[in-house]
Amino acid sequence: MRVICHGGAGGVPDEPEPRQAILDEAADTGADATGVVDAVVSAMEDLEESPRFNAGYGGAVQSDGVVRTDAGIMTDEREAGAVASMPGVANAAAVARVVMEETPHVFVSGVHAVDLADDFGVEVERELVTDDGRDAYEGADPPEPDAGPRNHLAWLEGTFGGGASRSDAEQSSGDHPRDHDTVGAVAHDPETDTFAACTSTGGRTFALAGRVGDVPQIGSGFFCAPAGGASATGAGEDIAKATLTRRAVRHLENGLDAQAAADRAIDEFGELTGSSAGVIVLDEAGAGSAYNSEGMQTSVATSE
């Protein structure tokens, strides 16, 4: 089993080593799994439980002070599941798997996705906001949660994505910046020649309550086909408009290897949008990654 994980494309953390150690552990966890779906979901769970990444516990706080999680998963057989806008659910990837394997649907959202998670044994009603996240939100002078979307939109004009709202303590904590710290994994099992891709996120800092970005959208935050799989991270609205992971996998289908496909997809993304993103790609021969942001940490592991 070969697994590649990413910890988000964005700024360079002050303390990259602890984040890299968690990424390495997640990749190892995935590589030790049986089956590609188990591989990517178990890798995601390691990252969703760490406040050093913007997924699950420690996810980005939306304009009403709530963390809502999104995730998507897909296999090379084009089986797929996605969830979005789930308060209190850290392990969003596991819920996306439930949608894929236990329902006739592709996408379930909001409180109904939370109910689905609860019925299938995924823990709900968890506190996902860290102390740092709460301090940053309260320090940004937010509107009342029930102030209405217009007031929330007026407030987030200067705060969406985190920006200047991060405190000095947060900037030096090693856990920030959080703007693009989505996590993702792609796995390949050479014995069965199967692939799976999965991406999980807490969204973007101080987005409008209920905002959903690229992560749970097939072909944007994640995509998989017989040629391989990809997971993306970065400026979600632009990734969705450019269908970044579908673009990367199409390059695999056209004969490029994983690294060349990642490079080509990010080059095209930058030309199309002028924005920043990263992508990891896996094919039967190996792994590739590319980004045009300041940094993106990745890890690759292969089972013995």
Side-chain angles (χ1 to χ4, degrees), residues 24-235:
D24 293 344
E25 180 181 344
D28 287 340
T29 297
D32 288 339
T34 301
V36 290
V37 172
D38 281 341
V40 293
V41 172
S42 61
M44 289 298 90
E45 287 177 350
D46 282 356
L47 301 176
E48 289 166 336
E49 292 295 338
S50 171
R52 291 185 176 275
F53 302 94
N54 177 15
Y57 176 62
V61 181
Q62 295 192 332
S63 65
D64 61 351
V66 177
V67 173
R68 295 177 175 87
T69 58
D70 311 333
I73 186 171
M74 190 172 186
T75 74
D76 59 290
E77 296 180 335
R78 291 186 169 84
E79 295 295 322
V83 288
S85 207
M86 297 188 299
V89 179
N91 301 132
V95 192
R97 180 181 190 173
V98 169
V99 173
M100 179 176 72
E101 295 182 341
E102 305 292 345
T103 82
H105 310 306
V106 169
F107 205 145
V108 180
S109 66
V111 296
H112 302 293
V114 176
D115 291 342
L116 183 68
D118 193 24
D119 258 12
F120 281 87
V122 181
E123 188 177 2
V124 300
E125 297 185 356
R126 290 183 57 178
E127 177 56 73
L128 303 183
V129 183
T130 63
D131 290 342
D132 277 352
R134 184 175 294 105
D135 289 346
Y137 175 73
E138 293 174 354
D141 192 24
E144 291 297 321
D146 60 356
R150 286 184 180 273
N151 286 321
H152 283 237
L153 285 168
W155 172 74
L156 65 83
E157 282 184 4
T159 59
F160 176 50
S165 64
R166 293 196 302 274
S167 67
D168 290 341
E170 289 177 302
Q171 291 180 31
S172 63
S173 70
D175 295 353
H176 292 267
R178 291 200 186 280
D179 293 2
H180 301 151
D181 287 351
T182 289
V183 298
V186 188
H188 176 236
D189 184 345
E191 292 188 3
T192 58
D193 195 23
T194 53
F195 292 90
C198 187
T199 309
S200 180
T201 191
R204 288 193 71 184
T205 306
F206 302 160
L208 183 67
R211 176 262 187 188
V212 176
D214 66 295
V215 164
Q217 299 187 51
I218 296 173
S220 297
F222 66 105
F223 194 78
C224 205
S231 170
T233 170

Side-chain angles (χ1 to χ4, degrees), residues 281-303:
V281 181
L282 196 64
D283 64 11
E284 63 180 8
S289 65
Y291 59 91
N292 63 357
S293 57
E294 292 181 17
M296 182 177 75
Q297 290 178 282
T298 63
S299 183
V300 179
T302 305
S303 59

